[in-house]
Amino acid sequence: MIGFDFFVDRFGIFLTLLFGFIGLMSFIYALVTIKEKGHRLEYYLMLLLLVGSGIGIALTYNLLLMFIFWEISTFAIWRAVAYYRGDQELAAGNLTFILNFAAATIMLLGILMVYLDNGTFNIFEIRAINDTAAIFILIGVLTKSVTMPLHIWLAPAYRAVPAAIGGCLAGIGENLGVIVFMRLFVTGTFFSPPFFNTVAWIAVASSIVAGGVALRSDNLRNLLAFSTISQLGFILLAFAVGGTFGIVGGMLYILAHALAKSGLFYGVGVVEDSTGSDNLKNLSCLLRVSPALAVAMAFLAGSIVGFFPMIGFFSKLSVIVGAVQQSTASGVGAIIAAVFTLLYNTRFYHELFFGDECRSAKIKFKRPSYTGVTVVFILALISLLCGIFFYKPMSYLLAGGV
Amino acid sequence: MNEIYYLILLPIAGGLLGLLINRLRSEFNFLGFFLTLFFSVRFFIASQTKILSFNLISFAGINFRFYVDNLTGLIILFNGIFAFLIWLYSLKAVSKNPRERFYYVYIALTLAGANGVVLSGNLIFLLIFWNFLVFSLYGLLLVGKKDSTFAARKALTIIGVSDFVMLLGIVMLFVRLGNVDFPLQHRLIFTQGWYVVSYILIAVGALAKLGTMPLHTWIPESARVVPASTLAFIPGSLDKLLGFYLLFRISYSIFDISKFGGLQVLLMIIGAVTIVFMSVMALLQKEAQRLLAFSTVSQAGYMVLGLGTGMPIAIAGALFHMLNNTIYKSVLFLGAGAVEYRTKTSELDNLGGLGVKMPLTFFSFLIAGLAISGVPPLNGFYSKWMIYQGIIGLADRFPLWFVFLICAMFGSILTLAYNLKLVHSIFLGRRPDNLDKVREARFEMVTPSFILALACIVFGIFAQAVPLKYLVAPVIRFDVSKLGFWVPGLATILIIVGVLIGLLVYLFGTAWRPRRSRVFIGGEILETDEASITGPNFYSSLHNLDLLEKTYQFGEGGAFDFYNYLIGIAGGLAIVFKDVINRILTTIYEGIGRMVRVLGTFISLLHTGELYNYVGWIFLGGIIILLILVF
């Protein structure tokens, strides 16, 4: 039933490298920002649990083992969100845990139904998944990969979590759902066009609505949360439409989004550390505080929007090709979501770094930590390099035998 | 074919090395731009004799391939020339800008991206470079002489959105055709609705680059806040080259628009509307660069109009007009920049009488101003004339062809009017006292505009011998014998009509509403302010004309502004999403949470801790189980 059930394919290696790298960056960033000694050990434990469970999910073929890693990651996210033991943090942590755990329980029910139908947990041997089981599993997936009706825990969690592990949450934690979706439904043998169509439309709707909410958010953490929801909609859309472009585009999108969003999270963390505020209404003209941060965050936001020298362009292009191959309407929806992405990114970037009048003269700010800015810069640079040499990851994934 | 790589990589290398090693910046930049120009010329000559295409890499069904023909060579040549001249001009003009270092990098990156766009032979490959240009445009606009962040944001939004639209069009074509290499052996005729849709979507990208209405608004927005050289480089020359290039490619190399009247009319309407409205807007401006920005938008209308006719002579005319426009519009922008460099102002009210002080600038500015207005021996006249002939040639297909002709000619008259105003208010008239010490601009700034002004004359006088023969004719085959065929009657009548309209404007505007002024009593010495008539007052009577004034007010109020509509719609949707949908979802979750809490409170109330209660519950439960078992 359960054993050392791991396998290695190109997607697995790809995700392992990515998660390891994101975890490393989080570790470096934490060295200077997580200051409480003793308490700090908890952070490292949760970081390693998160990275480990992410890699585990990426590499296992046993559905039950996958579920165990899934629960480990839920636990890690719970403790990470409640890292600072304030009332709000605890409440956010509890909300995160309760929702994720409830969804995971429903998912376990689905997994057991699959087991009863097939007599095996091996995803390569599963031949039939009935629709009820698929929907039960989907609920777990949508909750972990925050998609619109089940997204409610993300904004409080982002507001509570320390920036150091928030980057990991955005880069690893939220991708787990779509990875399970991809492994189980897309590259597996599940065939049910209405199911995939529904998921595609949920993804598009979630992406557009979350983009709109992000456009109206003044709190930077909130904005990042809804941006994440919006971007995960793209990834889910990619996997739901399937096809070569869909799957490769989804994997590329995981890469682009993980790099860019964790970078933006660290960037916001640096801004908070240096100004003590994370509200756009109080912040402006940060270009003067740290030009390097401004440049790096321009690259990262550009990657999220999908401008060329960054990897985000190719991932968005592939996803849209995949979507249009399936139905033009979902492609149009994806374009609308992309327009929202462009709008909220330009808005937040301009209000943060330029602003109408330079009010930051009133804000007291410390000099941002070099380590933090360096980490953001490295992530931006990797996004840039992946974009310029886009054919490397792309042909690597294409050779993965989709 | 190494030249292709050189054309893309040399400017990047020159720009980045200049950024990294600031001490040798000019040397590196010079090498980058000069070598690119050198290879552009060689490339142009080579492209005249052979057509070349080769694959760089291909995977997932996309061929990343280069394709080179006459048109490519031509655009590459102009890219190289303009980048070099702008670099030369900027040496002194931008030298006081604190972000000068980045300015050159962005100029270099823009050149590389533009060359890439033109060299690519596949729409998706083209899209990559096209997208790269957004990035460099944004950076270039951020290097402003004042706070240019809003203009940069606006440009990024407009161009970014149009790029997404274009991406969708290309993807639709790719999915349906399985490959988007061009040119196609058999051009696509609009047999299916999808072709029309994807043509329009791609054309949105091209028109945004070309800067026609309603996607033009970032150009006047940035006119006041960025250096003149930026304006001359991006909206003035490179954007026109690229936008025209893409529109030409999709209209005549991929699709065949001349077989589908609807789209032709659509393009021609866009062109005609742009010409008229933007000329009116330009006429009433009070600042030199903003006036020129509107002017450059209105000139783009001629290109779209000419392309839309589908007549070979008008397409050739549009191409020729595009080349001419890049030349004289650059001269005008650079001239205005030179004046601003010396006088520190570009408000027309504060300028005047600089012709004596800056003779070379005046000369080139005047030539370019006459050329853009279409005064006969100069190049602007020829290209416009070719476009007019194309429109007249449409007579047997479109009964309403004369509307477009009238719009084009009316626009031409307005062009002459605002250029006279511009030339008068900068170089003629009375010179304000504080400008007495103004000198001719620097050598580096005068040379580019002088060279380009000479090009205006050469292109005009020897139009058939030089530019049409070597530049335009190899790209578009058209009947040369039709050229020079002058229709004196019609043209004269139309010009007279134009003059009459002008007179009518004057009569309606002024004669019926007399201007009030103080009574002049002989012998008084007039205040200098009253005695001088500045350029902006030329057409102040137009403000009295209701229709024009309304148009102007609408335009200044942002009614033609796509950006405002986009932000408004997106903002409205965002309010709905955030304050309705998201709040409803949150409320549902909160409701569930509250229900659980109420249930918990209720159950805890049942647990009173008294034995009798528990015994009662046990009995109740037993009865229920019994009932279930019985039934």
Side-chain angles (χ1 to χ4, degrees):
Chain A
M1 190 186 259
I2 191 164
F4 191 73
D5 295 335
F6 293 106
F7 76 113
V8 175
D9 67 345
R10 291 196 171 218
F11 290 177
I13 294 173
F14 182 84
L15 291 171
T16 307
L17 279 174
L18 176 65
F19 290 168
F21 179 72
I22 299 285
L24 181 67
M25 287 295 120
S26 172
F27 172 74
I28 295 174
Y29 183 81
L31 284 179
V32 287
T33 52
I34 302 275
K35 297 221 170 59
E36 303 86 348
K37 280 195 175 171
H39 196 51
R40 185 159 137 177
L41 291 177
E42 185 186 353
Y43 160 77
Y44 290 127
L45 176 63
M46 294 312 147
L47 175 67
L48 287 174
L49 280 182
L50 199 52
V51 174
S53 60
I55 293 174
I57 287 182
L59 292 182
T60 180
Y61 61 82
N62 185 319
L63 213 47
L64 197 61
L65 201 56
M66 210 180 251
F67 180 77
I68 290 168
F69 283 123
W70 183 278
E71 288 294 55
I72 292 174
S73 77
T74 305
F75 175 78
I77 291 172
W78 173 38
R79 290 324 306 159
V81 168
Y83 179 80
Y84 297 121
R85 302 286 202 275
D87 281 345
Q88 275 195 336
E89 283 82 2
L90 286 177
N94 289 342
L95 177 66
T96 303
F97 184 70
I98 289 170
L99 272 176
N100 272 307
F101 186 76
T105 314
I106 297 173
M107 186 179 176
L108 182 62
L109 216 59
I111 291 175
L112 290 177
M113 284 161 83
V114 170
Y115 178 72
L116 291 179
D117 284 352
N118 295 280
T120 174
F121 282 122
N122 185 336
I123 55 172
F124 296 115
E125 288 170 10
I126 290 170
R127 288 285 165 265
I129 304 176
N130 64 37
D131 280 352
T132 323
I135 288 169
F136 280 178
I137 295 175
L138 184 68
I139 287 174
V141 166
L142 293 187
T143 310
K144 182 75 92 179
S145 291
V146 278
T147 307
M148 204 57 182
L150 298 167
H151 68 288
I152 209 78
W153 60 274
L154 193 68
Y158 266 27
R159 278 201 299 273
V161 75
I165 205 160
C168 241
L169 192 58
I172 302 175
E174 269 111 52
N175 289 331
L176 301 182
V178 284
I179 292 168
V180 169
F181 186 84
M182 192 261 299
R183 286 276 193 225
L184 186 60
F185 295 131
V186 183
T187 56
T189 49
F190 183 55
F191 183 75
S192 166
F195 175 76
F196 285 120
N197 275 339
T198 318
V199 175
W201 281 113
I202 289 175
V204 168
S206 158
S207 193
I208 294 175
V209 172
V213 179
L215 184 59
R216 293 271 301 165
S217 299
D218 281 329
N219 185 305
L220 279 173
R221 298 277 186 116
N222 256 350
L223 195 146
L224 285 183
F226 282 98
S227 165
T228 304
I229 298 169
S230 176
Q231 299 307 305
L232 279 161
F234 273 99
I235 303 176
L236 197 62
L237 170 70
F239 288 137
V241 293
T244 312
F245 278 102
I247 296 172
V248 171
M251 296 302 286
L252 275 182
Y253 217 112
I254 288 179
L255 169 70
H257 176 247
L259 291 174
K261 192 51 61 66
S262 59
L264 282 181
F265 217 116
Y266 301 142
V268 168
V270 170
V271 168
E272 282 168 358
D273 283 348
S274 94
T275 64
S277 167
D278 62 353
N279 197 322
L280 279 179
K281 282 182 178 154
N282 305 331
L283 294 169
S284 65
C285 290
L286 291 185
L287 184 67
R288 282 200 250 140
V289 180
S290 173
L293 185 67
V295 171
M297 280 180 75
F299 281 120
L300 295 168
S303 184
I304 297 248
V305 177
F307 283 130
F308 160 57
M310 276 69 74
I311 181 69
F313 172 74
F314 294 98
S315 50
K316 200 155 273 182
L317 180 67
S318 312
V319 171
I320 289 170
V321 171
V324 172
Q325 273 174 344
Q326 210 54 242
S327 82
T328 313
S330 57
V332 175
I335 288 287
I336 294 172
V339 169
F340 271 113
T341 314
L342 173 69
L343 289 178
Y344 73 72
N345 275 300
T346 47
R347 167 177 175 266
F348 112 81
Y349 187 78
H350 272 259
E351 293 197 358
L352 193 57
F353 286 104
F354 302 116
D356 293 336
E357 73 260 21
C358 286
R359 285 164 298 191
S360 68
K362 292 173 200 160
I363 298 181
K364 284 183 193 168
F365 55 81
K366 301 182 294 188
R367 210 191 39 190
S369 65
Y370 284 123
T371 317
V373 176
T374 311
V375 167
V376 181
F377 213 88
I378 290 172
L379 285 162
L381 207 61
I382 300 285
S383 293
L384 187 68
L385 288 177
C386 284
I388 292 172
F389 302 104
F390 64 94
Y391 50 90
K392 292 280 182 197
M394 218 162 163
S395 49
Y396 181 83
L397 288 172
L398 276 169
V402 175
Chain B
M1 196 57 187
N2 284 330
E3 268 100 343
I4 288 181
Y5 300 124
Y6 294 157
L7 286 171
I8 298 174
L9 294 179
L10 271 175
I12 295 183
L16 286 183
L17 281 175
L19 176 71
L20 293 177
I21 308 170
N22 199 21
R23 211 150 47 85
L24 297 175
R25 190 182 60 222
S26 299
E27 286 79 357
F28 278 125
N29 284 337
F30 171 75
L31 274 182
F33 288 119
F34 184 75
L35 287 177
T36 315
L37 178 61
F38 173 72
F39 282 112
S40 304
V41 174
R42 274 187 56 181
F43 192 77
F44 172 69
I45 295 166
S47 73
Q48 294 303 304
T49 48
K50 61 180 176 191
I51 289 174
L52 180 116
S53 73
F54 84 105
N55 254 8
L56 182 64
I57 185 174
S58 59
F59 60 88
I62 307 168
N63 304 318
F64 290 84
R65 73 193 265 276
F66 292 114
Y67 173 80
V68 178
D69 64 0
N70 290 322
L71 181 60
T72 312
L74 180 62
I75 307 271
I76 290 278
L77 177 69
F78 270 72
N79 282 350
I81 291 174
F82 278 109
F84 185 73
L85 291 180
I86 296 289
W87 169 76
L88 186 63
Y89 174 90
S90 309
L91 274 180
K92 285 286 179 289
V94 194
S95 59
K96 283 168 194 154
N97 196 310
R99 270 177 278 170
E100 187 201 3
R101 290 173 70 176
F102 301 99
Y103 172 83
Y104 291 107
V105 183
Y106 291 127
I107 293 272
L109 291 182
T110 308
L111 176 63
N115 281 347
V117 166
V118 184
L119 288 168
S120 52
N122 176 300
L123 279 179
I124 289 182
F125 196 29
L126 183 146
L127 186 67
I128 292 174
F129 290 112
W130 197 266
N131 222 291
F132 184 65
L133 284 173
V134 183
F135 174 76
S136 58
L137 168 72
Y138 178 66
L140 195 53
L141 288 183
L142 278 181
V143 185
K145 58 185 183 191
K146 292 176 201 158
D147 178 21
S148 61
T149 51
F150 180 70
R153 180 180 170 184
K154 196 167 183 174
L156 181 72
T157 310
I158 292 177
I159 305 281
V161 169
S162 69
D163 274 11
F164 278 130
V165 172
M166 180 174 148
L167 186 149
L168 184 64
I170 291 175
V171 165
M172 276 165 74
L173 207 61
F174 174 68
V175 168
R176 258 151 248 279
L177 293 181
N179 119 25
V180 280
D181 296 349
F182 64 84
L184 297 176
Q185 204 78 45
H186 303 287
R187 289 180 292 172
L188 301 172
I189 304 169
F190 296 95
T191 44
Q192 295 170 26
W194 287 119
Y195 290 156
V196 182
V197 173
S198 61
Y199 173 83
I200 291 175
L201 293 180
I202 302 174
V204 167
L207 290 177
K209 189 70 58 188
L210 204 51
T212 51
M213 279 173 72
L215 299 168
H216 66 281
T217 44
W218 64 273
I219 302 174
E221 184 73 47
S222 54
R224 280 173 190 273
V225 289
V226 301
S229 47
T230 304
L231 288 171
F233 189 55
I234 297 230
S237 47
L238 243 63
D239 268 8
K240 295 285 178 291
L241 288 160
L242 299 180
F244 183 89
Y245 171 81
L246 183 63
L247 198 61
F248 180 82
R249 279 280 192 236
I250 57 168
S251 301
Y252 296 104
S253 299
I254 296 173
F255 296 98
D256 188 1
I257 191 182
S258 60
K259 300 274 175 9
F260 192 76
L263 285 177
Q264 273 182 285
V265 172
L266 184 68
L267 278 189
M268 281 157 69
I269 288 175
I270 291 174
V273 168
T274 305
I275 291 172
V276 173
F277 280 97
M278 290 301 116
S279 302
V280 171
M281 292 297 291
L283 190 61
L284 299 174
Q285 295 301 319
K286 292 196 171 65
E287 202 246 11
Q289 293 193 11
R290 201 165 147 83
L291 190 153
L292 289 173
F294 277 110
S295 162
T296 189
V297 176
S298 91
Q299 294 299 308
Y302 282 101
M303 302 162 204
V304 179
L305 183 61
L307 267 185
T309 57
M311 311 292 286
I313 189 166
I315 299 169
L319 175 61
F320 191 29
H321 191 72
M322 189 271 293
L323 299 180
N324 292 336
N325 182 56
T326 55
I327 295 171
Y328 46 63
K329 195 47 61 62
S330 299
V331 177
L332 292 175
F333 272 126
L334 296 185
V339 169
E340 193 189 2
Y341 179 75
R342 282 301 186 203
T343 63
K344 308 280 179 282
T345 177
S346 60
E347 296 292 332
L348 294 180
D349 281 330
N350 305 335
L351 291 167
L354 291 175
V356 191
K357 298 284 180 183
M358 311 175 79
L360 284 174
T361 311
F362 176 45
F363 169 75
S364 22
F365 202 92
L366 183 66
I367 296 289
L370 293 177
I372 192 176
S373 319
V375 174
L378 297 168
N379 55 357
F381 164 74
Y382 251 92
S383 48
K384 278 185 190 169
W385 181 238
M386 287 163 77
I387 294 173
Y388 295 159
Q389 281 201 325
I391 300 172
I392 294 169
L394 281 177
D396 47 348
R397 284 184 62 201
F398 297 108
L400 287 175
W401 60 279
F402 57 88
V403 177
F404 298 115
L405 189 62
I406 289 169
C407 284
M409 291 207 152
F410 184 57
S412 187
I413 294 162
L414 289 177
T415 311
L416 181 63
Y418 65 69
N419 276 294
L420 282 182
K421 166 181 167 180
L422 197 58
V423 171
H424 175 90
S425 47
I426 297 179
F427 293 104
L428 303 173
R430 209 191 58 80
R431 185 170 56 243
D433 295 336
N434 58 342
L435 297 183
D436 280 343
K437 288 182 184 166
V438 169
R439 285 172 296 144
E440 178 60 85
R442 298 258 189 176
F443 171 75
E444 289 91 336
M445 299 168 73
V446 175
T447 314
S449 40
F450 196 72
I451 293 172
L452 290 172
L454 288 184
C456 277
I457 299 176
V458 172
F459 275 30
I461 296 175
F462 306 108
Q464 297 184 30
V466 183
L468 285 179
K469 189 175 173 194
Y470 293 109
L471 302 180
V472 177
V475 178
I476 299 152
R477 315 248 172 275
F478 66 99
D479 192 359
V480 185
S481 66
K482 273 192 182 170
L483 264 181
F485 178 67
W486 177 263
V487 193
L490 185 63
T492 318
I493 289 169
L494 284 169
I495 289 172
I496 289 172
V497 168
V499 173
L500 280 178
I501 291 174
L503 272 178
L504 282 178
V505 164
Y506 173 74
L507 284 178
F508 278 106
T510 327
W512 290 0
R513 294 179 204 167
R515 217 184 283 173
R516 290 186 184 182
S517 57
R518 272 199 302 159
V519 179
F520 175 74
I521 306 165
E524 267 183 24
I525 297 168
L526 287 172
E527 297 283 318
T528 48
D529 285 349
E530 294 169 37
S532 79
I533 298 171
T534 52
N537 295 333
F538 266 25
Y539 306 110
S540 52
S541 52
L542 286 182
H543 282 287
N544 299 339
L545 200 69
D546 264 1
L547 191 63
L548 286 185
E549 176 64 12
K550 284 259 168 56
T551 315
Y552 178 71
Q553 295 288 350
F554 270 133
E556 288 290 290
F560 304 141
D561 200 341
F562 169 72
Y563 179 77
N564 290 349
Y565 294 121
L566 179 76
I567 292 291
I569 292 171
L573 282 177
I575 290 174
V576 172
F577 291 157
K578 185 175 187 212
D579 296 339
V580 180
I581 297 182
N582 197 39
R583 183 157 293 175
I584 286 174
L585 288 175
T586 317
T587 319
I588 289 174
Y589 280 95
E590 278 171 0
I592 293 173
R594 204 159 290 154
M595 269 164 54
V596 170
R597 193 170 302 158
V598 169
L599 202 66
T601 324
F602 176 68
I603 289 175
S604 78
L605 281 180
L606 296 181
H607 292 72
T608 52
E610 291 174 25
L611 190 60
Y612 304 115
N613 284 14
Y614 292 110
V615 172
W617 286 120
I618 288 169
F619 268 111
L620 197 63
I623 289 167
I624 291 172
I625 289 171
L626 207 64
L627 286 174
I628 290 173
L629 287 179
V630 170
F631 295 104

